[in-house]
Amino acid sequence: MFKRILIANRGEIACRIIRSAHAMGVETVAVYSDADKQALHVKKASAAIHIGDAAAAASYLDGQKIIQAALDSGAQAIHPGYGFLSENPDFVDAVNAAGLVFIGPSADAIRAMGLKDAAKQRISEAGVPVVPGYHGSNQAPDFLKQEADNIGYPLLIKARAGGGGKGMRLVSSPAEFNDALDSAVRESIASFGDGSILLEKFIESPRHIEVQVFGDSSGQVVHLFERDCSLQRRHQKVIEEAPAPGMSDAVRKAMTDAAITAAKAINYTSAGTVEFIVDGAGPLRPDGFWFMEMNTRLQVEHPVTESILGIDLVEWQLLVAAGSPLPKQQSDLRIQGHSLEARLYAEDPSNGFLPVSGKLHRLVFDERCRVDAGVEESDNITPFYDPMIAKIIVHGSNRTDAISAMADALDNTCVAGTQTNLSFLTSLIQQEQFLNASMTTGLIDDCLPELLASKEPEPIDHLLACLALIQWPTEVTQSGFLSGFRLFGAATKRVTLNFQGEEHHHKLVLGPQKSIQFYKDESQFVNGDAPEVSIDLEEITPNFIRFHENGRRVVVDAFVWQSEPFGDSCVYIKRAGLAHNFTSANALTTQEQGSGDANTVKAPMTGVIRVVSTKPGQQVAEGDALVVLEAMKMETTLTAARDGVVEAVYCAPNDSVNDGDVLIQLAVESEKE
Ligand code: ADP
Ligand code: ADP
Ligand code: MG
């Protein structure tokens, strides 16, 4: 076995590889960019070497620097993880030329599968069904149009060098073909420097089912069963599971045989995945699946396979790369139960799943399940790399148990500080087609409105946010709530809360026995109205609030942090699987930094104006909210720094403004003596 290996990656997969290597007594060398000086993979590795700038091209994609780092650190082998250089055959050649071992397949095997058209050709010749289509070299648009008409619509245009769903276009009718071709070619040139495309019949009601394979240097290949990865957004997987629901012995035999045939056709070694598109319109059929592509690396979703087989694929990779035979024979491998993986991302599902960056002020996972994370609390999600926070992996004795374990795991996950897809994942695993396993790859798109619905906070969430913000000292709440209020000498509290740019003026009436009555948006109510919510508070801590509502005891995550750069108070409330972020309007109105001198209100950062609540000639008082700016996915209220008269307003709702732009000018008063 190797004494020391270098890991040419970052984030969760680097941490994942370190875990197995250390368990095997193998030392690890991490590499890191400027953006990752404090990263978890750097802390976990036995040693770490800085390789360059934050930009991937100058660090994690710079093969020469990485090979040099391996040589300098005395590593004997390089594990590429996934992404970055993992499927770059020239890198593999360079690693070998430097006298090092590449922990993965041969350069030839990667080359054989690197271009989708050549791969399909080769695999089809080996006798594996491929999606009908045109995979040839004639790229003349008229010719392609002719081929497309022969294949029939709907069809897919794919970049032959494609990956990650890029360069892919669905064409539903002949009239759309030419435009779709143009844009697919443009995108593939931009993304892969290769404008060649292939055409494929679009399999309707498609499911994505893939087979994990593993080969060793003696030519032995086993399959490690299948994974269903049909839950996708933008052709990218979100939730994966193993085994595939509805799989029969006959279909499994046909698919795993095909996968092994494909792997053997290219003398495959190490971990690889053969991806199939499957007709999901009815029950799975032995003649209802087609080869799509082979991923010549460890995949993101490999843990679900490990989970149902009780094996460690990274350990296998290290053993096989060091020349050992496969640790298990096909007959030793049996599926145990069911496993699910959910990918937790820093992203905004309601905004096209756009990645967001930010600091993870609080990050807590369910300790009862496996979590593969590359970050820890207080780390930042930077804009430079993939915004995945963690993979949450659960196991159950059957699919139903696994789904309920996932529901618990998501419920016990808390991420405050950056927007995430956590609530979206929670909705997704409650979705009917997912529950009854009739999902296709179109599920997320088809059900998006439903999956994003009812994400508005309820009055109780507002109340909890108010309670979290008030931040009573713990001793007070523990020694007796009522006395606590007596201490503060008030039975009524007013709290101004900001949710997505809207101010809410709430009233809390604190009664005996720790009871609280909540009047949402107080101004809309007249005296005598019933409160919208009544609860009995039990305990408030910095991380959760425990209370009784309608006789039921409830615990919710409630966490307050100060946002950067202004130190505004932000509140995270997660209740019933839904997370909401509020800000304290009080804090915003008292913030003084960054928003101009006393005479002007300036944009503290680049963003978009949402609300302008003043006009020229208006008398304003210090602290009055004048403008709401949306930036870095947060609303910031900009206020008057002094009493005065507005002289000019230089912005309007929906204007884009730059950091430092003057938004409001106050009339300059003569100096007071
Ligand atoms: P990438 O290299 O981007 O992973 P793939 O060829 O693996 O591209 O396809 C990605 C996804 O696109 C699949 O998981 C599936 O959801 C969809 N897809 C690909 N080919 C087809 C097809 N022929 N019919 C229907 N959907 C397809
Ligand atoms: P439920 O029965 O509503 O699922 P849980 O016991 O799972 O309640 O708690 C819900 C949330 O409250 C959890 O996500 C957890 O983070 C938080 N929580 C509960 N109890 C504690 C505790 N003792 N310390 C810290 N957090 C807690
Ligand atoms: Mg793919």
Side-chain angles (χ1 to χ4, degrees):
M1 185 37 60
F2 310 112
K3 181 171 182 294
R4 189 176 297 149
I5 63 169
L6 179 137
I7 297 156
N9 216 301
R10 63 177 303 283
E12 71 88 14
I13 192 60
C15 296
R16 159 76 192 88
I17 296 162
I18 290 169
R19 180 161 61 75
S20 290
H22 288 183
M24 297 169 75
V26 175
E27 293 171 11
T28 54
V29 180
V31 291
Y32 64 96
S33 71
D34 285 349
D36 281 339
K37 285 190 175 117
Q38 308 291 329
L40 194 57
H41 76 282
V42 172
K43 292 180 197 157
K44 291 203 160 169
S46 325
I49 297 183
H50 176 252
I51 47 167
D53 292 351
S59 48
Y60 300 107
L61 283 171
D62 188 330
Q64 277 317 314
K65 273 191 203 152
I66 288 171
I67 290 169
Q68 195 55 52
L71 295 171
D72 293 347
S73 61
Q76 297 143 296
I78 297 184
H79 195 307
Y82 54 70
F84 295 128
L85 293 165
S86 63
E87 293 181 281
N88 182 327
D90 297 338
F91 177 66
V92 179
D93 283 336
V95 169
N96 294 334
L100 301 168
V101 175
F102 180 79
I103 303 173
S106 68
D108 283 349
I110 297 177
R111 266 190 202 102
M113 292 296 172
L115 297 175
K116 288 185 203 287
D117 51 359
K120 286 203 168 89
Q121 201 65 40
R122 181 115 177 224
I123 293 312
S124 164
E125 281 160 15
V128 173
V130 303
V131 189
Y134 176 72
H135 314 134
S137 57
N138 189 341
Q139 297 286 311
D142 290 347
F143 174 81
L144 291 172
K145 174 69 168 55
Q146 193 57 53
E147 287 293 324
D149 291 346
N150 293 343
I151 295 164
Y153 300 85
L155 62 78
L156 274 179
I157 302 177
K158 284 187 189 178
R160 68 166 186 170
K166 286 214 184 79
M168 201 181 292
R169 293 290 180 282
L170 176 60
V171 189
S172 16
S173 70
E176 295 170 17
F177 185 81
N178 289 335
D179 286 350
L181 178 64
D182 287 350
S183 79
V185 169
R186 269 196 311 272
E187 189 170 297
S188 20
I189 292 173
S191 309
F192 313 109
D194 178 344
S196 293
I197 58 94
L198 54 132
L199 304 175
E200 257 185 37
K201 184 173 166 48
F202 182 76
I203 305 300
E204 304 206 41
S205 308
R207 275 171 69 181
H208 174 122
I209 299 180
E210 57 187 33
V211 176
Q212 175 77 56
V213 293
F214 215 106
D216 66 17
S217 50
S218 74
Q220 212 207 340
V221 180
V222 294
H223 73 80
L224 299 168
F225 301 93
E226 77 283 352
R227 297 183 284 256
D228 189 314
C229 312
S230 298
L231 294 182
Q232 305 181 345
R233 47 119 178 80
R234 288 193 271 111
H235 302 294
Q236 284 174 12
K237 301 156 186 167
V238 184
I239 289 187
E240 302 99 340
E241 61 184 297
M247 182 59 80
S248 67
D249 288 346
V251 177
R252 177 171 289 138
K253 170 134 189 15
M255 290 187 79
T256 54
D257 281 355
I260 288 186
T261 303
K264 285 193 166 158
I266 56 167
N267 301 317
Y268 198 80
T269 53
S270 195
T273 297
V274 182
E275 293 191 332
F276 296 101
I277 194 82
V278 177
D279 180 0
L284 302 177
R285 304 186 319 270
D287 63 347
F289 66 88
W290 300 270
F291 172 84
M292 264 194 307
E293 66 168 345
M294 180 165 183
N295 294 316
T296 50
R297 54 173 155 83
L298 189 67
Q299 276 189 281
V300 178
E301 60 272 24
H302 75 276
V304 292
T305 297
E306 296 182 322
S307 173
I308 58 162
L309 296 177
I311 59 171
D312 179 335
L313 284 169
V314 174
E315 179 193 344
W316 281 38
Q317 284 189 304
L318 264 59
L319 289 169
V320 164
S324 301
L326 290 174
K328 286 194 177 189
Q329 304 293 309
Q330 192 68 62
S331 55
D332 302 332
L333 294 158
R334 294 229 194 296
I335 297 178
Q336 301 278 345
H338 201 97
S339 177
L340 285 171
E341 171 182 284
R343 301 191 192 184
L344 181 66
Y345 284 104
E347 68 180 15
D348 183 357
S350 57
N351 187 15
F353 298 95
L354 275 187
V356 299
S357 45
K359 181 168 174 165
L360 301 165
H361 286 273
R362 182 161 161 78
L363 182 64
V364 181
F365 296 109
D366 192 330
E367 279 165 12
R368 293 165 304 178
C369 67
R370 171 171 170 185
V371 175
D372 284 11
V375 285
E376 56 189 350
E377 193 166 283
S378 304
D379 281 354
N380 285 292
I381 299 291
T382 66
F384 303 109
Y385 316 108
D386 186 275
M388 188 158 74
I389 297 169
K391 306 187 302 205
I392 297 169
I393 302 119
V394 297
H395 184 268
S397 54
N398 53 44
R399 188 170 191 263
T400 308
D401 289 351
I403 294 174
S404 71
M406 182 59 85
D408 286 348
L410 294 176
D411 198 33
N412 291 326
T413 300
C414 174
V415 198
T418 174
Q419 211 171 353
T420 72
N421 65 341
L422 184 57
S423 301
F424 174 80
L425 291 171
T426 302
S427 305
L428 189 54
I429 61 161
Q430 290 166 9
Q431 213 282 332
E432 197 188 325
Q433 280 124 286
F434 174 69
L435 289 176
N436 65 27
S438 64
M439 68 276 185
T440 68
T441 58
L443 183 144
I444 289 179
D445 281 342
D446 295 347
C447 303
L448 201 56
E450 177 195 326
L451 292 169
L452 297 175
S454 66
K455 295 289 190 287
E456 288 289 299
E458 293 177 23
I460 178 86
D461 299 306
H462 281 264
L463 163 58
L464 294 167
C466 292
L467 288 175
L469 266 176
I470 296 170
Q471 285 178 334
W472 284 296
T474 321
E475 327 80 77
V476 173
T477 61
Q478 277 170 357
S479 66
F481 191 66
L482 193 57
S483 64
F485 283 110
R486 291 233 174 92
L487 256 176
F488 283 87
T492 298
K493 277 242 172 219
R494 288 192 166 72
V495 182
T496 304
L497 210 59
N498 201 304
F499 182 74
Q500 297 185 343
E502 220 174 292
E503 273 200 5
H504 297 271
H505 301 274
H506 299 315
K507 184 165 107 175
L508 285 68
V509 178
L510 313 157
Q513 309 302 324
K514 300 186 182 184
S515 76
I516 299 176
Q517 300 189 323
F518 179 65
Y519 297 85
K520 185 170 179 277
D521 294 306
E522 187 204 356
S523 56
Q524 296 169 17
F525 288 85
V526 285
N527 272 343
D529 274 1
E532 289 196 292
V533 187
S534 300
I535 63 166
D536 293 311
L537 187 63
E538 194 177 309
E539 189 183 4
I540 303 182
T541 78
N543 296 326
F544 65 93
I545 300 176
R546 205 193 303 271
F547 60 98
H548 294 257
E549 187 190 12
N550 302 327
R552 204 171 58 92
R553 187 160 180 256
V554 189
V555 191
V556 299
D557 288 330
F559 178 73
V560 179
W561 76 97
Q562 311 308 311
S563 85
E564 283 143 15
F566 302 123
D568 303 336
S569 291
C570 304
V571 194
Y572 169 94
I573 298 292
K574 180 161 167 253
R575 190 185 57 83
L578 292 181
H580 301 290
N581 289 302
F582 300 85
T583 53
S584 153
N586 290 336
L588 289 171
T589 52
T590 54
Q591 61 125 1
E592 284 161 11
Q593 311 94 303
S595 41
D597 56 29
N599 299 323
T600 57
V601 174
K602 288 183 182 168
M605 52 191 152
T606 302
V608 178
I609 302 296
R610 287 296 169 222
V611 181
V612 178
S613 48
T614 187
K615 51 181 189 282
Q618 189 179 359
Q619 175 74 45
V620 295
E622 179 184 336
D624 280 357
L626 303 182
V627 176
V628 176
L629 174 76
E630 185 186 315
M632 296 166 72
K633 306 281 161 201
M634 289 259 307
E635 307 248 29
T636 302
T637 303
L638 306 176
T639 59
R642 61 167 169 84
D643 298 352
V645 175
V646 173
E647 187 175 85
V649 175
Y650 298 112
C651 61
N654 298 322
D655 282 359
S656 292
V657 295
N658 287 319
D659 186 0
D661 284 359
V662 175
L663 306 177
I664 305 279
Q665 176 78 50
L666 296 186
V668 180
E669 291 166 16
S670 51
E671 295 263 317
K672 288 185 188 119
E673 294 305 306

